[in-house]
Amino acid sequence: MDNKNLSIILKLIGEKVMSEFKFVCREEELNFAQEALSQNKFIIYYYFNDSGLTHYLKKLSLNLNIDNEICFYVDCAKNQSIAVQIATQIISSSDKQKLNKYTQNEGLVIKKIIDSLTTSIDIIPFVNVGALMSGFTTAIKDTLDTDIEHLSDYKIEKAIISMLRQLVKKGKIKKVFFLIDDASSLNPESLDFIAKIMDFDIVSVLVTIPNNYLNIGTENLSKICSNAFEPFEIDKVFERPSDNMIKGLYRCYNRNFDEKYLNVFNRYERNIHIIMSYIRGFHMDFMRLDKNSIFLLKILLILDTSIYIKTLKVIYNKGIHLSANVDDSDFKIFINALINQGFLGIDQCDYIHLNNNIISEDEIKITLVERLTISRDIIDIFETCKTELTIPQLKFAIHNLDKDYSRRKSYILVLLKKEKIAGQVEQQYLDMLFYLDNKLDLINICSMYYDLQVYDVPFLRIQQHTDFIEERECQDLIALLQERLHKDNYCQKLWEQLNSSTNIDEQCLLMAVLFTALFNNGENEECLKILNDLNYKFYYKRFSASHYYHFLLRNVSYYMETVEEGIHNYSYCLLKFRNSDPVNYNRTLSNFIGYLMKQINKKPAKSILESKIEEVKSILEFNDQKYLYLNINYGIYLMLETNDDPTQYFESIQFNSGTTETPYIYARINQALYIAKNDPAKALSCLDEIFYTLICDSNVVPTKIFYKINRLLVEYMNNINNTSLLEEIKSAPLRGDEKYTNKLYSFYAYRFTNRIRYKTSDWKKCFLPGYIFYHGFNAELLMSSLAMPNSRM
């Protein structure tokens, strides 16, 4: 149940509708909103905090759920995305027998997804729940791109968007309303999602903004609004209860009203939660609370997150200094009394949380000594159950152990392990670690950095751990990090690891990195041997028995001249990643797009490209951070095959110190070449800036050649015939491709000699696209390869 409501909405127990919903004295406000929603697509409603807005919005939602309309209520204060809240409402309001039958028939993955969304919540009943459930479950199947081990990569957002498309297509539902409670609390992902759902004509959205957070709320709304529509603002603020409303509430709940209560409520600025606590029989006076109740509330105030009831009991017993500990039954009675008074809430898993709408340190003062003592007691109890702690509890311990590195480190390691499983590792906690006591922890932490695409910090960490640095895993990691940082003789380091390996899986992964590294280092002949020499010890097909052969195959396939072979290889790799590794599936798809554009004049590259582009568009619709590189290859597609502007896709790539800078450089050069179509002088200025800030100090050979080839074109567009630059390009063929280089040289040499000026058609002919190819993998994959069964040579 939502804490804000203080049990105003009665709990549902296995029912689809609320047995009772009491609502008084807000009819005028309901009329404002319903009229606005009937006439406008996007409505803003300002409100005062603690005014009863949540209860009002749920009543509004009840009114809007009619025969051909659907309404969702979304609480932005929840630590849950908008899409997940919508999905939870659909699933939890559905007929349980039908739901059980569906999950039995549709396989383990979908059952896991649906089970994860089923919860006991206060549900606004949907008249059209059948249509919703059918649309949503179909959407799950249509958008599912993962297996049971990778549910964190599953996008509920995709399913909701797909469901809306189905509702539009079927035409039965004429309106879908979304009531967004507190726009000032929206996160960036939710802002993007709201913008997407507003693309549907059947959707109308009402967002609320608290009066004391106008700046944040307005800033968030500006990110949603487009030129297509203007927000409509309801001109009256939703206020805290008036005298008449307070009296109406007392009548509604069959309570006797006393005029003197108004003085009390005014002292609390007519906070609806204080008023409701009085109506429910508890006269809110914190000074009357017994010391044990005050102490327990202080524990929860300091902890600032929910906690399992049995763990809370142990902390309470430790701090209260009773001669005999309170047993489970007495503690449950004690907790239930505080729940009934509205101070606490409890979920279906027996986790206790504080009602922050009523309880704060303004009412219950905590001295510094109390804070330190209670925090120490909490952490002492946490020591006995560290691995069972939730992520917020672990963070509490970490931030209260800043002067005890040894204990703090143990909590950080548990936290990072949990975050890794959830796919949400936070670098700030990695940065809190310095010396690791064992090799496994060092490898895990450095691997997490690598997977976050941060390379300089883990490289330094390994150097600091002299006791472990010579271990095989550490040396493999050093090789990976040197390659990403283009540091020292990184190709030689990879060769050393490859030649000293007796494990085909380790060798295959090292070769996958080495192949690209050799091209980046200008060692083109070696790459061509790996690719073409059947008798060579390291010919790429010699690794086909490895469990990880598809990682190597993905990296070599771009250089396949036979288009059918290249397409077959990429299709094989996509098949290996599908439903098991969505991240590498999408990265491989990006590489495939680059290959198809390179070969676009050969059959059947163009037709396959068009079908794959649709897939790319659906991925970029949600623009997950993990798939940012896709923006570059898709932007190039827009440049070469459409008249659309690719600028937003190139500008989404940011420079990050400590990581590889190549994507950022390529995005900037691609953007300069797009500018050159209409303004060659400006494009040349952009390339000058890129050279002095990025290219000059780069030690990646192909990047410099790539820059020179495109600069030659832009200078030519500006009537500059740079013969010396042309000679430089000829002397260093890009990735050993002499055929391409000779063709380019002949074109420009003929034009320069015959003083033929630039033609508009030359742009597409001479422009060298800066595709980004992802050749990496998660570092722990290489670490685990050392222990793979049957992998010894």
Side-chain angles (χ1 to χ4, degrees):
M1 183 184 67
D2 184 345
N3 289 348
K4 294 179 184 176
N5 293 330
L6 283 177
S7 300
I8 294 173
I9 302 174
L10 301 178
K11 287 187 176 181
L12 294 174
I13 305 175
E15 297 178 359
K16 292 197 295 182
V17 297
M18 297 177 182
S19 59
E20 183 180 6
F21 193 96
K22 294 180 178 180
F23 187 84
V24 296
C25 300
R26 292 287 196 186
E27 284 75 15
E28 188 177 7
E29 288 89 339
L30 285 175
N31 292 334
F32 289 155
Q34 287 176 201
E35 184 177 349
L37 282 164
S38 69
Q39 300 176 13
N40 301 277
K41 187 171 183 64
F42 190 51
I43 298 98
I44 301 171
Y45 200 174
Y46 300 103
Y47 71 94
F48 287 104
N49 281 340
D50 303 316
S51 55
L53 179 80
T54 296
H55 188 60
Y56 160 82
L57 290 176
K58 291 196 173 183
K59 172 60 176 173
L60 179 59
S61 187
L62 275 171
N63 289 3
L64 293 171
N65 271 298
I66 58 176
D67 287 344
N68 60 353
E69 296 180 354
I70 292 169
C71 185
F72 294 99
Y73 165 78
V74 176
D75 184 359
C76 298
K78 282 188 175 181
N79 186 26
Q80 216 176 37
S81 73
I82 289 179
V84 168
Q85 289 192 52
I86 293 167
T88 299
Q89 289 173 56
I90 295 169
I91 298 298
S92 296
S93 61
S94 301
D95 182 276
K96 299 301 178 284
Q97 287 185 338
K98 290 182 180 178
L99 195 59
N100 289 337
K101 184 178 179 181
Y102 184 86
T103 57
Q104 288 170 5
N105 295 340
E106 294 296 338
L108 190 59
V109 178
I110 291 180
K111 182 180 187 303
K112 181 93 172 183
I113 292 168
I114 290 178
D115 286 350
S116 72
L117 296 169
T118 304
T119 184
S120 298
I121 61 170
D122 289 325
I123 304 162
I124 306 300
F126 296 110
V127 174
N128 299 289
V129 67
L132 275 178
M133 187 62 191
S134 172
F136 181 64
T137 50
T138 301
I140 289 177
K141 288 189 287 186
D142 290 346
T143 58
L144 189 64
D145 61 354
T146 183
D147 67 4
I148 203 73
E149 298 302 321
H150 295 83
L151 281 177
S152 64
D153 292 303
Y154 174 70
K155 294 292 181 192
I156 295 292
E157 289 88 348
K158 288 183 183 179
I160 299 297
I161 296 294
S162 178
M163 180 192 75
L164 288 172
R165 289 195 187 105
Q166 292 176 53
L167 292 178
V168 170
K169 187 176 180 180
K170 291 178 180 177
K172 179 182 176 183
I173 307 300
K174 303 302 180 186
K175 268 291 186 182
V176 181
F177 300 105
F178 294 89
L179 309 181
I180 311 296
D181 193 348
D182 186 5
S184 67
S185 300
L186 283 169
N187 58 37
E189 292 75 19
S190 292
L191 288 170
D192 290 342
F193 181 68
I194 292 175
K196 288 181 179 65
I197 63 176
M198 290 187 70
D199 286 340
F200 293 91
D201 291 337
I202 64 171
V203 167
S204 289
V205 174
L206 181 147
V207 300
T208 65
I209 301 177
N211 245 16
N212 52 335
Y213 286 105
L214 285 181
N215 289 342
I216 299 172
T218 305
E219 179 185 349
N220 280 342
L221 295 184
S222 70
K223 297 172 183 175
I224 300 170
C225 296
S226 68
N227 295 328
F229 56 86
E230 289 290 331
F232 173 81
E233 297 186 11
I234 295 177
D235 60 2
K236 291 189 178 181
V237 176
F238 189 91
E239 296 183 340
R240 289 186 174 183
S242 65
D243 290 359
N244 285 337
M245 182 182 174
I246 292 170
K247 292 172 184 176
L249 285 168
Y250 268 84
R251 288 193 299 272
C252 180
Y253 284 87
N254 298 315
R255 301 291 184 185
N256 294 323
F257 177 75
D258 189 327
E259 290 286 343
K260 69 181 181 182
Y261 292 158
L262 292 177
N263 293 328
V264 177
F265 299 151
N266 285 333
R267 192 165 71 239
Y268 289 101
E269 298 178 336
R270 295 175 179 257
N271 184 318
I272 185 64
H273 308 293
I274 303 294
I275 295 167
M276 290 308 301
S277 70
Y278 265 76
I279 288 172
R280 297 175 64 228
F282 182 78
H283 291 194
M284 188 66 63
D285 186 343
F286 295 103
M287 297 307 296
R288 294 185 190 175
L289 282 173
D290 65 273
K291 67 176 184 178
N292 291 350
S293 297
I294 291 283
F295 178 73
L296 187 124
L297 295 177
K298 286 180 179 180
I299 292 173
L300 289 167
L301 270 170
I302 291 169
L303 184 59
D304 195 28
T305 185
S306 60
I307 185 169
Y308 186 46
I309 188 170
K310 289 188 177 180
T311 308
L312 178 59
K313 186 202 75 172
V314 179
I315 296 169
Y316 173 82
N317 279 332
K318 180 176 176 61
I320 207 69
H321 305 301
L322 297 174
S323 55
N325 288 341
V326 178
D327 62 23
D328 286 350
S329 59
D330 287 342
F331 190 70
K332 191 68 181 284
I333 293 168
F334 176 45
I335 290 294
N336 283 338
L338 290 170
I339 290 172
N340 292 333
Q341 292 164 1
F343 291 119
L344 305 180
I346 186 168
D347 66 17
Q348 61 266 37
C349 297
D350 278 346
Y351 270 74
I352 305 295
H353 55 266
L354 192 66
N355 185 351
N356 296 111
N357 292 304
I358 291 179
I359 307 296
S360 72
E361 291 191 42
D362 291 335
E363 290 80 28
I364 297 180
K365 306 298 181 184
I366 303 175
T367 67
L368 176 60
V369 171
E370 286 177 318
R371 184 176 300 280
L372 293 173
T373 303
I374 292 172
S375 297
R376 182 201 62 207
D377 288 346
I378 292 171
I379 294 171
D380 284 347
I381 301 306
F382 280 1
E383 287 286 332
T384 65
C385 55
K386 199 175 295 180
T387 58
E388 284 79 46
L389 297 178
T390 65
I391 286 177
Q393 290 166 358
L394 289 163
K395 289 181 178 179
F396 169 84
I398 291 165
H399 291 290
N400 282 277
L401 287 170
D402 56 328
K403 293 181 174 62
D404 187 344
Y405 176 69
S406 180
R407 291 176 77 195
R408 188 189 206 199
K409 177 170 62 176
S410 65
Y411 284 96
I412 295 172
L413 292 171
V414 175
L415 171 71
L416 290 170
K417 183 177 180 180
K418 288 179 181 284
E419 288 191 335
K420 177 69 177 175
I421 293 169
Q424 297 175 335
V425 172
E426 296 175 84
Q427 187 183 333
Q428 62 172 308
Y429 294 101
L430 289 169
D431 292 342
M432 291 178 186
L433 294 169
F434 300 101
Y435 192 82
L436 284 309
D437 298 313
N438 63 71
K439 181 182 72 174
L440 184 60
D441 287 339
L442 175 64
I443 294 299
N444 287 339
I445 295 308
C446 291
S447 296
M448 287 182 202
Y449 270 118
Y450 185 89
D451 298 345
L452 289 174
Q453 299 181 34
V454 176
Y455 309 117
D456 51 354
V457 178
F459 185 76
L460 179 61
R461 287 281 184 275
I462 295 178
Q463 310 302 318
Q464 293 168 337
H465 288 72
T466 54
D467 289 348
F468 309 130
I469 196 169
E470 296 303 323
E471 297 286 342
R472 181 79 196 178
E473 296 93 333
C474 290
Q475 288 298 307
D476 276 353
L477 257 178
I478 288 172
L480 292 184
L481 292 165
Q482 284 184 198
E483 184 274 330
R484 288 286 74 201
L485 292 166
H486 302 125
K487 191 176 182 66
D488 304 327
N489 192 343
Y490 57 93
C491 288
Q492 181 59 38
K493 180 62 181 177
L494 286 163
W495 275 123
E496 289 173 5
Q497 295 306 108
L498 180 64
N499 284 315
S500 60
S501 174
T502 58
N503 178 318
I504 192 171
D505 290 310
E506 181 189 23
Q507 286 186 343
C508 185
L509 290 171
L510 288 168
M511 178 54 75
V513 178
L514 178 58
F515 179 79
T516 305
L518 290 167
F519 265 136
N520 286 339
N521 204 37
E523 299 180 44
N524 304 321
E525 290 184 6
E526 192 65 43
C527 293
L528 296 175
K529 281 179 66 178
I530 294 168
L531 193 63
N532 300 316
D533 189 347
L534 278 63
N535 297 315
Y536 186 41
K537 178 182 178 182
F538 295 111
Y539 176 55
Y540 79 95
K541 286 189 178 179
R542 292 182 182 270
F543 301 94
S544 60
S546 169
H547 295 87
Y548 303 124
Y549 178 58
H550 46 294
F551 285 96
L552 173 58
L553 192 62
R554 174 178 68 185
N555 294 352
V556 301
S557 292
Y558 179 74
Y559 304 96
M560 301 286 178
E561 287 299 321
T562 305
V563 178
E564 290 77 9
E565 184 180 6
I567 290 172
H568 174 269
N569 289 350
Y570 277 115
S571 299
Y572 169 79
C573 293
L574 288 173
L575 188 62
K576 292 290 287 186
F577 290 125
R578 185 186 296 276
N579 293 340
S580 63
D581 189 344
V583 174
N584 273 301
Y585 177 89
N586 291 338
R587 289 171 172 172
T588 304
L589 179 62
S590 180
N591 293 8
F592 195 12
I593 293 297
Y595 178 76
L596 291 169
M597 282 192 281
K598 175 188 175 186
Q599 304 285 2
I600 198 162
N601 293 321
K602 299 178 184 177
K603 293 183 178 181
K606 190 174 182 66
S607 61
I608 294 175
L609 173 64
E610 295 304 321
S611 68
K612 294 300 177 185
I613 281 294
E614 290 305 311
E615 246 190 296
V616 171
K617 284 161 69 175
S618 70
I619 294 166
L620 289 180
E621 188 176 2
F622 295 90
N623 228 348
D624 192 306
Q625 282 289 114
K626 294 191 289 287
Y627 310 138
L628 268 179
Y629 49 82
L630 257 175
N631 286 279
I632 293 182
N633 290 2
Y634 182 66
I636 294 170
Y637 168 80
L638 294 180
M639 287 174 73
L640 294 179
E641 303 302 321
T642 76
N643 293 318
D644 294 339
D645 186 347
T647 301
Q648 64 170 311
Y649 298 98
F650 295 143
E651 289 184 347
S652 69
I653 309 299
Q654 301 297 314
F655 178 82
N656 293 309
S657 177
T659 71
T660 177
E661 77 285 1
T662 304
Y664 178 70
I665 295 174
Y666 276 46
R668 291 286 306 278
I669 294 174
N670 286 329
Q671 179 62 19
L673 287 157
Y674 175 72
I675 292 169
K677 289 179 71 175
N678 299 309
D679 192 343
K682 182 180 178 181
L684 190 57
S685 176
C686 291
L687 287 176
D688 283 339
E689 181 185 348
I690 292 167
F691 178 79
Y692 290 110
T693 58
L694 299 167
I695 301 296
C696 192
D697 295 327
S698 176
N699 55 4
V700 183
V701 176
T703 297
K704 289 191 171 185
I705 302 172
F706 164 67
Y707 174 85
K708 290 176 182 179
I709 290 171
N710 286 308
R711 183 176 182 98
L712 184 68
L713 169 61
V714 177
E715 288 190 0
Y716 182 48
M717 295 172 79
N718 282 276
N719 299 318
I720 301 170
N721 297 344
N722 194 333
T723 54
S724 61
L725 185 57
L726 182 59
E727 294 297 331
E728 285 183 43
I729 293 168
K730 184 181 181 182
S731 66
L734 180 65
R735 293 190 170 92
D737 191 342
E738 293 186 4
K739 183 179 177 181
Y740 167 77
T741 304
N742 289 335
K743 183 179 178 182
L744 196 70
Y745 182 85
S746 298
F747 171 83
Y748 281 110
Y750 178 79
R751 289 287 187 92
F752 292 173
T753 301
N754 293 281
R755 297 182 180 179
I756 301 173
R757 293 172 70 110
Y758 168 80
K759 301 174 184 178
T760 304
S761 59
D762 295 337
W763 181 83
K764 189 170 181 179
K765 188 187 302 180
C766 300
F767 161 39
L768 179 61
Y771 301 115
I772 288 296
F773 292 92
Y774 191 87
H775 70 268
F777 44 79
N778 286 357
E780 60 265 24
L781 204 63
L782 180 56
M783 303 303 107
S784 64
S785 72
L786 298 172
M788 288 287 287
N790 305 318
S791 60
R792 295 290 172 182
M793 297 289 284

